[in-house]
Amino acid sequence: LVDRYGIAWHEKTLGQLFCDGSAKQIIDLLVTEMKQANVELRLQTVVESIEATADGYTVALSGERVRCTSLVVACGGKSIPKMGATGFGYDVARQFGLALTDIRPALVPLTFDDNTLAPLKPLSGISVDAVISHGKTKFAEAMLFTHRGLSGPSILQISSYWREGDTISVAMLPGVKILDALRAARARNGRQALQTALSELLPKRLAQLIAENSGIHSHLADVSDKQLLGVEKAINEWQVKPAGSEGYRTAEVTLGGVDTDGLDQKTMEAKSVKGLYFIGEVVDVTGWLGGYNFQWAWSSGWVAGQAV
């Protein structure tokens, strides 16, 4: 469908798909498809109430009552409220007795407490290719230091698995044998400082901070392998405990939602309520970055559309 509309796209790591240009092209595609299907689009319309009837539903829309035999809830989650996102879909699910799983922000930047953040503030804006781990889950993508904590694709990905109180592990030079690299730097020029050697591997401000935190102030010639191993651990086994996340304000998706056990997996119809369907982000299905959540929204919408 995207190719048919002449929208250029590219594939990144982990199978992620992105538009070459603006994502507004996708909106234009969807609106065009709606027009071709004679869909009536109403904006600035409030759903005041939903009532089940003998042959379907009655929906009160800004003073007007609309009757239908099938009702598809496709309202998304709570993420990015400034765009109008609310928990409306969850309220509808509760109204009709459907179970919900725990709901929380996902694909969201992580934040630090003041003590953790203070020494890291000079790094705001610096990005490195990193591997972020939480338990057995890990992501290898860019990581960005921010004025509130950490962001970037790898952090957004791991945020779907992280919970308050958990520690994440960060490798800022994954695949690099740092001890060997520092030994080689020591052999080439033992009079150089640790910060100088690290600057060949990491952004200068990050190298400076790691060197300062290591407590090593002598020339490399006077630094033992044990001390260099400590530096390697600080770079590739950084254990840090986020205090929280930036919340729904910046979260790209909402984790949790309508329990999939209560939905027919082939039609997305509620098993206990005839003619009521839930699709997309309002359902407890969350994908990775890079088109997976769009794919779920469109695929679940398609099967519901075939059923109604």
Side-chain angles (χ1 to χ4, degrees), residues 183-199:
R183 278 173 169 171
R186 184 175 59 190
R188 288 193 306 271
N189 180 8
R191 293 184 59 81
Q192 67 179 314
L194 174 61
Q195 176 184 332
T196 304
L198 289 177
S199 294

Side-chain angles (χ1 to χ4, degrees), residues 129-195:
D129 289 329
V131 171
I132 313 298
S133 304
H134 177 271
K136 295 182 179 179
T137 304
K138 61 178 61 178
F139 292 97
E141 294 186 78
M143 180 187 78
L144 175 69
F145 289 92
T146 74
H147 66 287
R148 300 187 66 186
L150 296 174
S151 187
S154 59
I155 293 296
L156 298 189
Q157 298 276 44
I158 210 68
S159 72
S160 296
Y161 301 85
W162 173 83
R163 295 293 181 272
E164 284 79 359
D166 291 352
T167 296
I168 59 174
S169 180
V170 179
M172 292 178 280
L173 282 174
V176 176
K177 296 180 179 179
I178 299 171
L179 176 59
D180 290 347
L182 293 178
R183 278 173 169 171
R186 184 175 59 190
R188 288 193 306 271
N189 180 8
R191 293 184 59 81
Q192 67 179 314
L194 174 61
Q195 176 184 332

Side-chain angles (χ1 to χ4, degrees), residues 276-297:
L276 181 62
Y277 300 76
F278 290 85
I279 67 169
E281 191 179 342
V282 73
V283 179
D284 180 23
V285 175
T286 303
W288 290 351
L289 283 175
Y292 292 95
N293 292 290
F294 280 133
Q295 183 65 57
W296 163 246

Side-chain angles (χ1 to χ4, degrees), residues 90-126:
Y90 310 131
D91 294 337
V92 176
R94 292 187 189 98
Q95 176 184 341
F96 289 96
L98 274 71
L100 299 174
T101 62
D102 290 339
I103 299 166
R104 58 184 290 119
L107 297 182
V108 61
L110 299 177
T111 59
F112 294 150
D113 59 37
D114 291 341
N115 290 335
T116 303
L117 186 61
L120 299 175
K121 281 189 174 181
L123 303 181
S124 181
I126 290 177

Side-chain angles (χ1 to χ4, degrees), residues 29-280:
L29 176 160
L30 294 172
V31 171
T32 300
E33 287 287 310
M34 290 169 64
K35 290 178 179 178
Q36 292 175 355
N38 295 317
V39 172
E40 182 180 351
L41 176 63
R42 301 189 186 186
L43 303 178
Q44 303 299 321
T45 302
V46 177
V47 179
E48 297 170 339
S49 66
I50 300 172
E51 299 174 9
T53 63
D55 57 353
Y57 300 89
T58 297
V59 183
L61 300 174
S62 296
E64 180 183 355
R65 296 175 72 81
V66 176
R67 293 178 175 81
C68 57
T69 55
S70 299
L71 183 65
V72 182
V73 180
C75 59
K78 298 174 68 174
S79 301
I80 315 184
K82 69 179 181 181
M83 290 172 54
T86 70
F88 170 77
Y90 310 131
D91 294 337
V92 176
R94 292 187 189 98
Q95 176 184 341
F96 289 96
L98 274 71
L100 299 174
T101 62
D102 290 339
I103 299 166
R104 58 184 290 119
L107 297 182
V108 61
L110 299 177
T111 59
F112 294 150
D113 59 37
D114 291 341
N115 290 335
T116 303
L117 186 61
L120 299 175
K121 281 189 174 181
L123 303 181
S124 181
I126 290 177
S127 177
V128 294
D129 289 329
V131 171
I132 313 298
S133 304
H134 177 271
K136 295 182 179 179
T137 304
K138 61 178 61 178
F139 292 97
E141 294 186 78
M143 180 187 78
L144 175 69
F145 289 92
T146 74
H147 66 287
R148 300 187 66 186
L150 296 174
S151 187
S154 59
I155 293 296
L156 298 189
Q157 298 276 44
I158 210 68
S159 72
S160 296
Y161 301 85
W162 173 83
R163 295 293 181 272
E164 284 79 359
D166 291 352
T167 296
I168 59 174
S169 180
V170 179
M172 292 178 280
L173 282 174
V176 176
K177 296 180 179 179
I178 299 171
L179 176 59
D180 290 347
L182 293 178
R183 278 173 169 171
R186 184 175 59 190
R188 288 193 306 271
N189 180 8
R191 293 184 59 81
Q192 67 179 314
L194 174 61
Q195 176 184 332
T196 304
L198 289 177
S199 294
E200 297 181 6
L201 303 171
L202 294 165
K204 187 174 181 180
R205 278 182 288 165
L206 179 56
Q208 179 181 0
L209 180 64
I210 292 172
E212 289 175 354
N213 290 343
S214 72
I216 298 173
H217 304 294
S218 55
H219 295 151
L220 279 182
D222 300 321
V223 179
S224 68
D225 283 358
K226 183 178 180 180
Q227 289 174 296
L228 295 182
L229 275 172
V231 174
E232 180 176 68
K233 186 172 182 179
I235 296 172
N236 274 347
E237 296 180 42
W238 178 31
Q239 305 294 311
V240 63
K241 183 184 293 185
S245 77
E246 292 193 2
Y248 292 114
R249 181 180 65 85
T250 59
E252 297 202 13
V253 295
T254 302
L255 194 71
V258 178
D259 195 328
T260 55
D261 286 347
L263 303 176
D264 185 308
Q265 64 178 344
K266 294 183 179 179
T267 66
M268 304 305 295
E269 184 178 23
K271 293 177 180 178
S272 59
V273 187
K274 182 174 176 56
L276 181 62
Y277 300 76
F278 290 85
I279 67 169

